[in-house]
Each structure stands twice: as C-alpha cells, then as structure tokens.
Amino acid sequence: MKKSILLAIPLACIVFAACNKNKEVQQVSSNKTQDSVFRRGKKITNNNFKGNAYLQMLVNADSTNQTTVGNVTFEPGARTKWHLHPAGQILLVTDGVGYYQEKGQSKKILHKGDVIKCPPNIVHWHGASTDTAFVQLAITGREKGETVWLEDVTDEEYVK
Amino acid sequence: MKKSILLAIPLACIVFAACNKNKEVQQVSSNKTQDSVFRRGKKITNNNFKGNAYLQMLVNADSTNQTTVGNVTFEPGARTKWHLHPAGQILLVTDGVGYYQEKGQSKKILHKGDVIKCPPNIVHWHGASTDTAFVQLAITGREKGETVWLEDVTDEEYVK
C-alpha cells in the first residue's frame, strides 16, 4: 500500500504539470481570437499608406450620417502619409502598439484602450510601431470634406 | 507493482479532471479580461436605464468635436428606455448578446462584431439579452441636440 502511494504521487504530479502547460497554450490562442472583434478587411493598395495595412469599413457615410467608421490594421512598420481631416478624427486603439504624431509635436506611443481626438485640419500621421502590429477604429466626420493626403512620413520621422 | 499502477491511474485521472475544471474557469475569466479593451466605467444611476448598466465615456464633445463615444456595458436584462438622437447614433458591438429595436420594427439580436446605424430622430431602445451581458461602443453626434428620452421599455416589449 505504501509503495502504491509512493508511485501514485509522482504520476499525479506529472499529469498536473502537463495540464498546466496545456492551459498556458490555450490561453494564448484564446487571446488571439479574442482580439479580433471586427474583421481585418482587405489590404490597402492606394499610396496613402506605406507597408502592409488593412481596412474593413464598418460604417459608410449616407444622406443622414456623415460619420464613417473603419477598422484599420497596420503590420509592424506600416503607417499613413501625413494627412488631415477637415472635421477631425477619433482613434480608438483596440490592439497592439502604434504611433501617433501631430506636425510639430513629439510622437505618442499608443496601446490597447488608448483614445486619440485629432482636431480638424491638424496635420498628423499614425501607424504601427516598428515591431508590433496595431489595430485601431477610425471614426471620421465627412461633413466638412474628405481627408487631405500630404507627403510621406520618412523613415527618419517614423523612428524619431 | 500491479497494485501500485491500479491505484496510481485513478488518482491521476482525478487530478486530470480537477485540472480541466480549473482550465474552464480560467478561460472564462481570461475572456472577461480580454473582452475589455476599454474600461467598464461607473454604474449608470439615472432612470433612463433599467437594470444594471455601466458607462465609460471615451470621448466627450468640445468646441471642435461634437461626436461623443461611450463604452456601455449592460448586465443581462438591462436596457435603455425608448429614446432618439437628433443626429443619429452608431453602435459597435464588442461583446455579448444584445437587443436593438426601432419603434414599429421587430427586435434585432446583436452579437460581437455587429454594427447598427440608427438614423436621426428614430425612436429605438437597446440593451442586453435576457441571459447574457452586452457591451457596445456608442458613437453619438451632438451637433443637432442631446438624446431625447421617452417611455420605459415594458417587460412585454423586452421579451417579445
């Protein structure tokens, strides 16, 4: 009987350790799925973006609503050109690590849960950090006109 | 030796079962954390809501921006009164199961990833389903005035 217990306890410990290892893997995989509330959408092919970025429009403008909502995913290193929105823009960060910079200001580092209120006609850019992807909801008023796209964000500006 | 194995195997099975039970609990708890990109905020105490609902304002209106964003969490059974927004409202469902109904239309069941574009001045209500909580981002234009609150959603209307 004593021998039985001596054998049973280490066996139980091995099973317990194996269980815990599994749990860790499962958590990471559950997190990955969990992050994507909205679809990643299609790769952006216009030249207002550098690197790989994806857009899923969630809300388009219509005759009674001039506010659009897009889910934008930037792969590491990807970013917009410098640009401005005549009615401003709200960014809600839903995943990853990104950058946001207004002309003449220092670059801000953004994380999940951060919110940016970009005022009308302020020249700015946003994108992923160098090594982590970045996902944002972009809420843009169109009542005063479309986005005005400007020059590229140089590699020097991007890493500064 | 044979006896030892006979005792060890059931013991290992008990530990394995206990492990798995633990994993399930952890997953649910991990989902809860993961779902919350934005804070749940404070309990809503005004009488425009029935049941337990929570609000975290993410963006307030200011002199250059009339669009507000709030993160609203409804516990099961909780809902708004009937109401309307003079400039309309966009709802982005980020978690759970909820209901949305416009006056005279049938009730819609909402899930994570769903988007509602509620036109200006359309009387409607929204809230959690009977047995699952519901989390939404509410994007509301204030340029044409504040929300107009109307009568309660009766229990009969809620379950219909």
Side-chain angles (χ1 to χ4, degrees), chain B residues 27-151:
Chain B
Q27 258 193 295
V28 171
S29 122
S30 140
N31 283 353
K32 272 188 184 162
T33 312
Q34 203 54 36
D35 286 341
S36 308
V37 173
F38 304 104
R39 289 187 184 182
R40 191 177 69 157
K42 287 190 179 163
K43 193 170 166 177
I44 297 171
T45 53
N46 66 53
N47 70 355
N48 297 323
F49 289 71
K50 183 169 184 176
N52 293 328
Y54 299 81
L55 171 66
Q56 175 69 49
M57 282 310 292
L58 301 178
V59 178
N60 288 301
D62 62 30
S63 60
T64 63
N65 166 57
Q66 289 297 301
T67 301
T68 64
V69 184
N71 186 39
V72 191
T73 303
F74 296 88
E75 287 186 1
R79 69 261 197 181
T80 67
K81 282 187 173 180
W82 289 99
H83 63 286
L84 63 87
H85 310 282
Q89 186 176 56
I90 292 162
L91 302 177
L92 308 179
V93 181
T94 58
D95 199 27
V97 182
Y99 300 149
Y100 169 82
Q101 186 178 23
E102 296 179 0
K103 202 85 173 182
Q105 305 294 318
S106 57
K107 189 174 79 179
K108 284 182 184 170
I109 300 178
L110 304 179
H111 299 92
K112 187 160 83 171
D114 286 345
V115 174
I116 289 286
K117 194 157 69 167
C118 175
N121 298 314
I122 292 294
V123 174
H124 67 285
W125 67 271
H126 33 122
S129 58
T130 50
D131 56 3
T132 308
F134 176 63
V135 188
Q136 57 164 50
L137 291 166
I139 303 167
T140 315
R142 308 282 175 175
E143 65 274 19
K144 293 180 181 168
E146 285 301 315
T147 304
V148 178
W149 293 100
L150 304 165
E151 67 278 11

Side-chain angles (χ1 to χ4, degrees), chain A residues 4 7-8 11 16 19 23 26-27 30-31 34-35 37-38 59-60 62 64-65 93 112-113 115 117 139, chain B residues 4 7-8 11 19 23 26-27 30-31 34-35 37-38 59-60 62 64-65 93 112-113 115 117 120 139:
Chain A
S4 306
L7 184 73
L11 183 59
F16 182 75
C19 268
K23 197 188 292 174
Q26 191 141 354
Q27 260 193 292
S30 141
N31 284 353
Q34 206 55 38
D35 286 341
V37 174
F38 303 105
V59 178
N60 288 301
D62 63 31
T64 64
N65 165 58
V93 182
K112 187 159 83 170
V115 175
K117 195 157 66 165
I139 302 168
Chain B
S4 307
L7 184 72
L11 183 58
C19 266
K23 195 189 292 175
Q26 190 140 350
Q27 258 193 295
S30 140
N31 283 353
Q34 203 54 36
D35 286 341
V37 173
F38 304 104
V59 178
N60 288 301
D62 62 30
T64 63
N65 166 57
V93 181
K112 187 160 83 171
V115 174
K117 194 157 69 167
I139 303 167

